[in-house]
Amino acid sequence: MLMIKSMATIARFRSTAVVVLVTLVASMTAPAFAQDNPQRQRDPTLPEIAPREIEIRGQFQVGFPSLQRQPLRGFASPPTVPVIPPDRLPYTETYKQERSDLPEQLPSPPSVGSRLATSPPPANGYVEAGAGRYLSRFAEGHVTLPVTPMESFEIDAAYDGSAGFEPSTTSDGSTQHDDVEGSLRFVSEREAVSIDAGLRGLTSTYDQYAAVPNSSGTIGASSPDRTVQSGGLFARIRTHGRIPTSFGLSFDQTSASANTEVGTDNRDYEQQRFAINARGAIPFGTREIEADIAASTSGLGSSAFEGDVQTLNLGGSAIAYRSGPTVIRAGARLLTFQSGSSSDSPPTPEASATYFVPTGELTIAMTPRFTIFAVNQPGLEHNTLLSRMSDTPWLAPQRYVRPTLYATRADAGVRVSVGPLRITSHAGYRYAPSYRFVEPGPVVGYENGFFRSNYESARIAEAGASLALQGFDQVQAILRATIRDGQLTDSDTSIPYFSPLVVESALTYSFLDGKALAGMELGVESPRYVDRSETEQTDTIVDLDLNGSYHVTPIIDIVARLDNMGASFERYAGYERPPTTVTAGIRIHW
């Protein structure tokens, strides 16, 4: 009985001491945060242990009206010393008291470590599908399948198709198309190493509805079908130590065919491409040199390792000067490519170039909201068969591909934040000794409707600004405008299909407590010349799309799109854009 009473007394004292200790810590730290002038003379009197109000440099205030100063002689009455009879013997039997009977209910200790006990998160993803005007249809899905808390498989798939409409430029052609793409990825996010690897593929079929056959001689098929197929694998490994590094590789095979029915030269071409890239830092004295390399080899109608097209992009840079708000990074880059000849009609010769150019970056953070920058980052753009077909679907099949090489790619400007607005303005200059552009080109059996890739040296001067809204959860918006002048230096003409004015805008708005979402995308391009003769221009392009969704249940959304609003136009000569299309569907997510 005496032991139980003693334990209760000790528990009461310990509870009182804990409360007083917490009060004492709060009273000692709170005034320290509330002081405005640490140099003022200290008050010789005792500080208030429990002030009614504590300033925390914000709008939130805490008050403790019930706490009172404890007596200076102690925080509580001294404990009573029990009187033990001289004939009292100690308790020698086994003593055990259930945890539920103890005065403090402590949590049960875990049986295993939390990292070992953590199970993989549940699978998550979404599926959406819908249809609309001109028998337009779409389907899209994503699934994440966790294997461990840090590893998972990700599956993505998308389909977009349409029966199309019959444009006024042709009598029997249509804008029908079917596009399918997907990927399977393995993702690992460990503390030291991350891995992202998988497979990808796509297939696209559409009509070249503006391809007009010859009226005599060799006559091609009307509105020939075009099919583009691509598949490949990729992998990337990143380390997260003191010096982060990354290494990646990819292998892709792409084929493009056009059912022109006039011979194999214009029907089917293939490209295999193997590429590697790496990035890291190399210690050099008291500095670190950031280095990167990207190399590729392609085979056109043959193995990738036969090297019909080879590229190398190697560079490094280091901080050369740092003082206050000013940081200067300087470096150099080696750019080189080699491209073989082809038997295209017209034939294309061999080409090669090597440039060793300086790189640099200047940043002056005048204030947290005002920054001046200047940068020069030369580089290579890989014009693969797949990227060319994605950019210009109406290209004539060509074996000849060459990268775009920018020996100079310089920009300078300012970044300013004014309240909720983030403003960026810049002026830039590019010089490309090898620049890819497109213009109408001859194809056996056709009067027009095909385009060909050509290469010349080019210079581009531009100036622009962007305006973005920041700091709002419900609204996101951006507006970007660029004025530019592009000239082919060999021909001394404007770059075909290169608009002098480009305006882009996007807006999303969430309302009804986040259940509804509305979005807008706008693109405007000024008229541009269709070829180097500078005799014909396209119309002004105004492309407006609207989209929205509504959260019906925790797992079901209704989605809708309104595409191709505004007047009709031809982005490429002869290819009229489809009229306004309305589609709607449903999204299920979990």
Side-chain angles (χ1 to χ4, degrees):
M1 182 67 180
L2 178 60
M3 182 176 295
I4 296 176
K5 288 183 178 181
S6 298
M7 291 183 61
T9 302
I10 293 172
R12 285 195 302 270
F13 175 77
R14 183 165 51 188
S15 301
T16 303
V18 169
V19 173
V20 174
L21 180 60
V22 171
T23 305
L24 181 60
V25 171
S27 65
M28 293 176 65
T29 58
F33 286 101
Q35 290 179 356
D36 292 327
N37 184 8
Q39 302 298 331
R40 68 182 180 183
Q41 186 176 0
R42 179 175 298 178
D43 190 347
T45 61
L46 290 175
E48 180 67 19
I49 295 179
R52 288 181 173 273
E53 294 183 351
I54 301 174
E55 183 183 359
I56 314 184
R57 296 299 181 188
Q59 298 179 355
F60 182 73
Q61 292 183 342
V62 180
F64 301 98
S66 62
L67 298 181
Q68 301 294 331
R69 184 192 297 275
Q70 296 294 333
L72 297 180
R73 63 184 179 85
F75 295 110
S77 300
T80 302
V81 179
V83 178
I84 301 177
D87 57 346
R88 175 76 181 226
L89 298 177
Y91 183 80
T92 58
E93 300 293 331
T94 303
Y95 174 78
K96 182 178 181 181
Q97 188 173 9
E98 295 296 330
R99 190 175 64 89
S100 58
D101 296 333
L102 295 176
E104 294 185 9
Q105 299 297 313
L106 301 176
S108 300
S111 57
V112 295
S114 57
R115 188 177 184 88
L116 297 178
T118 301
S119 59
N124 62 84
Y126 74 91
V127 175
E128 72 177 46
R133 189 182 182 188
Y134 302 117
L135 290 181
S136 300
R137 57 266 181 188
F138 66 91
E140 184 175 334
H142 170 84
V143 178
T144 300
L145 302 173
V147 180
T148 72
M150 289 153 288
E151 280 86 21
S152 63
F153 286 98
E154 297 184 5
I155 304 173
D156 289 275
Y159 167 78
D160 184 77
S162 174
F165 84 110
E166 294 184 359
S168 58
T169 54
T170 57
S171 58
D172 56 355
S174 71
T175 60
Q176 70 84 25
H177 68 275
D178 291 283
D179 305 320
V180 181
E181 61 179 320
S183 65
L184 171 64
R185 301 170 57 191
F186 171 76
V187 180
S188 175
E189 294 288 346
R190 294 278 176 173
E191 184 175 350
V193 179
S194 299
I195 300 175
D196 184 2
L199 307 172
R200 59 194 175 199
L202 65 85
T203 179
S204 178
T205 303
Y206 52 92
D207 277 356
Q208 296 199 222
Y209 52 89
V212 179
N214 291 332
S215 57
S216 61
T218 302
I219 301 176
S222 179
S223 300
D225 293 336
R226 168 63 61 85
T227 300
V228 179
Q229 296 178 323
S230 180
L233 54 87
F234 61 92
R236 176 171 293 277
I237 300 175
R238 294 177 297 164
T239 63
H240 308 294
R242 188 182 69 85
I243 301 178
T245 61
S246 66
F247 174 78
L249 58 85
S250 64
F251 177 83
D252 294 276
Q253 178 165 334
T254 304
S255 66
S257 62
N259 186 22
T260 60
E261 301 178 0
V262 292
T264 59
D265 286 345
N266 293 320
R267 297 190 63 179
D268 196 358
Y269 288 107
E270 294 184 356
Q271 180 187 37
Q272 287 188 2
R273 183 172 183 269
F274 176 76
I276 61 172
N277 60 82
R279 179 181 296 271
I282 304 173
F284 184 76
T286 59
R287 290 182 172 87
E288 291 181 352
I289 299 177
E290 295 184 0
D292 63 90
I293 182 174
S296 68
T297 177
S298 301
L300 305 174
S302 58
S303 170
F305 300 99
E306 290 191 10
D308 292 333
V309 180
Q310 298 176 332
T311 66
L312 175 64
N313 185 344
L314 173 64
S317 65
I319 295 178
Y321 177 81
R322 185 197 297 270
S323 177
T326 304
V327 179
I328 300 176
R329 177 177 289 275
R333 188 163 295 276
L334 174 65
L335 305 171
T336 181
F337 76 88
Q338 182 174 358
S339 176
S341 61
S342 71
S343 57
D344 293 332
S345 178
T348 52
E350 294 184 358
S352 63
T354 299
Y355 282 79
F356 186 74
V357 291
T359 64
E361 183 177 358
L362 167 67
T363 303
I364 305 176
M366 305 297 293
T367 70
R369 291 179 171 270
F370 184 82
T371 301
I372 301 173
F373 68 90
V375 61
N376 179 38
Q377 291 293 345
L380 285 170
E381 289 184 359
H382 301 284
N383 298 315
T384 64
L385 184 60
L386 178 60
S387 65
R388 291 188 303 126
M389 290 298 177
S390 301
D391 177 65
T392 312
W394 328 115
L395 281 178
Q398 290 176 268
R399 296 181 184 273
Y400 186 57
V401 293
R402 185 196 299 180
T404 294
L405 189 153
Y406 286 102
T408 302
R409 189 162 51 185
D411 287 281
V414 296
R415 288 187 289 265
V416 183
S417 293
V418 181
L421 300 179
R422 186 176 70 251
I423 304 171
T424 302
S425 63
H426 82 283
Y429 176 79
R430 287 105 171 89
Y431 171 68
S434 172
Y435 182 84
R436 173 186 173 266
F437 64 96
V438 297
E439 60 182 346
V443 171
V444 177
Y446 292 87
E447 294 181 1
N448 52 48
F450 285 88
F451 297 81
R452 302 187 70 86
S453 295
N454 295 304
Y455 299 87
E456 279 194 26
S457 60
R459 59 170 180 81
I460 301 171
E462 66 177 39
S466 65
L467 182 67
L469 193 64
Q470 59 185 2
F472 293 93
D473 295 333
Q474 288 184 292
V475 182
Q476 295 182 356
I478 185 170
L479 174 64
R480 183 184 298 111
T482 304
I483 300 174
R484 54 188 190 172
D485 174 64
Q487 296 289 320
L488 299 174
T489 58
D490 295 340
S491 303
D492 194 23
T493 60
S494 298
I495 300 175
Y497 287 100
F498 189 86
S499 295
L501 173 63
V502 177
V503 179
E504 300 170 298
S505 178
L507 170 69
T508 60
Y509 175 61
S510 175
F511 54 101
L512 297 180
D513 295 328
K515 290 186 177 181
L517 180 68
M520 179 273 293
E521 298 175 6
L522 173 65
V524 179
E525 298 182 34
S526 63
R528 51 200 182 162
Y529 290 110
V530 300
D531 55 31
R532 282 173 285 184
S533 67
E534 298 184 343
T535 58
E536 182 182 353
Q537 286 187 321
T538 63
D539 296 330
T540 298
I541 296 175
V542 179
D543 194 1
L544 176 62
D545 300 330
L546 303 178
N547 63 81
S549 64
Y550 182 74
H551 201 55
V552 180
T553 73
I555 64 170
I556 298 178
D557 295 347
I558 296 176
V559 296
R561 290 191 62 89
L562 191 61
D563 294 326
N564 303 333
M565 298 182 64
S568 178
F569 60 84
E570 295 180 359
R571 187 175 297 276
Y572 291 96
Y575 288 94
E576 182 181 350
R577 185 197 65 170
T580 302
T581 304
V582 181
T583 56
I586 189 172
R587 179 191 300 132
I588 301 175
H589 49 86
W590 63 92

